[in-house]
Amino acid sequence: MRNDTKAILLAIVAVLAWSTVATAFKLALNYAQPINLVFYSSLFSTVILAFANLKQFKTYKVDDVKNHLKLSILPGFINPFIYYIVLFTSYDMLPAAHAQIINYSWGVILAVMSALVLKKKLSVISLLGVLISFIGTGVVILGSSSAVGEKNILGYIFAFASAFLWAIYWIINMKDKRDASEKLFWNFFVSLAFLLTYSIIDADMLVFSSEVILYSAYIGTFEMGLTFILWGKALYYSNDTAKISNLIYLSPFLSLILINAVLNEAIEMSAVMGLLLIVVGLIINFSQKKV
């Protein structure tokens, strides 16, 4: 049953939750290495997603499990395993605002990659959107000053890499016709196997403290797990998914306010202008409905 009021409320809760995670990442990295955070956050998220999928689990046969595992090997390797290691590393190296904004360019990278991989032509207007968004990322990087710390080129490379990885993951997901919540669980479940294998090489991954567990629980719930379920429900209940989808553009701006208020991180005008350009480019692109 469609219910726009319920859809909007669920979307707002999801947007508010996602608005807090950049700040949570930065706070958590005061107590944990990126790999610690990826493992424990993924663990919490997997548990949450398991509870969300209990009804589906009851219908499974052995062949169903084998099929899910097979389908999730590649996406599970990318997300959360590689993606979040790269993302958290970028947050460890950069101001939170910069890491968030550069990562947010995944949408325009998706448009370009879809044109190349899925052989979808970009219209002149879409190309304009791509150009505007890339100019926005340049404004963020080139406009930074010593007020927010020295430029860390490697950090920006990791931030861009995270955007590329998420775009790749999104393309793979578009071809995967499984239920969104269900495939997300299996991707995380498979990713845990990769993480546990990695712990053989780096046993420090399993080191934890009360702070690490608390922040990981928060991130696993509000970045990786529950919030995706809420967002999916919002889209399901909505009569106008485009209107609901546009609410997501509020998230990075609300996040900047929290980053400034909680982390006392200076938010430069160049960062705000860069984010505006990226969002304008994304809106232009997605309004063309080519991706």
Side-chain angles (χ1 to χ4, degrees):
M1 180 183 292
R2 303 297 180 183
N3 186 322
D4 280 333
T5 300
K6 183 181 288 188
I8 291 171
L9 287 174
L10 287 169
I12 289 173
V13 172
V15 166
L16 290 175
W18 273 323
S19 299
T20 68
V21 295
T23 299
F25 293 166
K26 202 67 177 177
L27 291 171
L29 288 165
N30 290 326
Y31 304 97
Q33 295 298 316
I35 189 64
N36 297 120
L37 209 53
V38 174
F39 175 69
Y40 289 110
S41 298
S42 298
L43 186 61
F44 277 104
S45 184
T46 303
V47 171
I48 291 168
L49 291 167
F51 277 107
N53 286 281
L54 283 176
K55 186 176 180 180
Q56 290 92 319
F57 293 165
K58 294 177 181 178
T59 67
Y60 282 178
K61 297 178 181 178
V62 173
D63 286 343
D64 295 323
V65 174
K66 290 179 179 178
N67 187 51
H68 280 297
L69 290 172
K70 181 180 178 180
L71 290 172
S72 292
I73 290 174
L74 179 57
F77 180 76
I78 296 172
N79 175 53
F81 181 48
I82 299 296
Y83 171 70
Y84 278 105
I85 291 174
V86 172
L87 180 65
F88 291 159
T89 300
S90 73
Y91 271 88
D92 205 28
M93 294 180 169
L94 296 175
H98 286 208
Q100 177 208 230
I101 293 170
I102 300 300
N103 174 260
Y104 205 73
S105 67
W106 74 268
V108 70
I109 293 172
L110 173 62
V112 175
M113 291 185 68
S114 293
L116 296 173
V117 177
L118 303 178
K119 301 187 185 305
K120 292 185 176 182
K121 292 183 179 180
L122 289 175
S123 66
V124 173
I125 295 177
S126 290
L127 285 171
L128 177 63
V130 169
L131 179 61
I132 290 172
S133 288
F134 278 124
I135 289 173
T137 60
V139 169
V140 174
I141 297 170
L142 298 176
S144 64
S145 69
S146 57
V148 292
E150 295 295 324
K151 288 186 177 72
N152 188 319
I153 300 302
L154 186 58
Y156 287 114
I157 291 173
F158 273 103
F160 272 115
S162 72
F164 273 103
L165 285 166
W166 190 255
I168 293 169
Y169 177 73
W170 194 266
I171 289 173
I172 293 172
N173 256 351
M174 285 194 291
K175 296 181 177 182
D176 189 338
K177 302 306 180 183
R178 290 178 292 171
D179 174 76
S181 176
E182 194 173 22
K183 66 185 174 184
L184 193 60
F185 164 78
W186 285 105
N187 291 349
F188 271 76
F189 183 81
V190 168
S191 185
L192 278 179
F194 287 119
L195 284 162
L196 288 169
T197 302
Y198 182 83
S199 71
I200 298 171
I201 302 170
D202 183 6
D204 289 341
M205 186 193 81
L206 302 176
V207 173
F208 68 93
S209 64
S210 58
E211 292 87 356
V212 171
I213 295 300
L214 286 172
Y215 280 114
S216 295
Y218 187 90
I219 293 168
T221 301
F222 295 108
E223 158 66 4
M224 300 176 175
L226 179 62
T227 313
F228 277 107
I229 296 171
L230 293 176
W231 185 254
K233 291 291 186 183
L235 294 175
Y236 171 78
Y237 284 117
S238 176
N239 284 302
D240 186 350
T241 56
K243 185 186 295 183
I244 293 296
S245 296
N246 285 336
L247 289 174
I248 200 66
Y249 297 121
L250 294 173
S251 179
F253 295 100
L254 294 173
S255 184
L256 289 182
I257 295 172
L258 280 175
I259 287 168
N260 177 255
V262 178
L263 301 177
N264 293 317
E265 186 177 296
I267 306 298
E268 300 165 308
M269 185 54 67
S270 60
V272 177
M273 291 304 298
L275 178 57
L276 278 170
L277 288 170
I278 291 171
V279 168
V280 168
L282 288 173
I283 292 172
I284 290 172
N285 258 296
F286 286 109
S287 69
Q288 297 299 297
K289 298 182 180 179
K290 294 289 184 183
V291 180

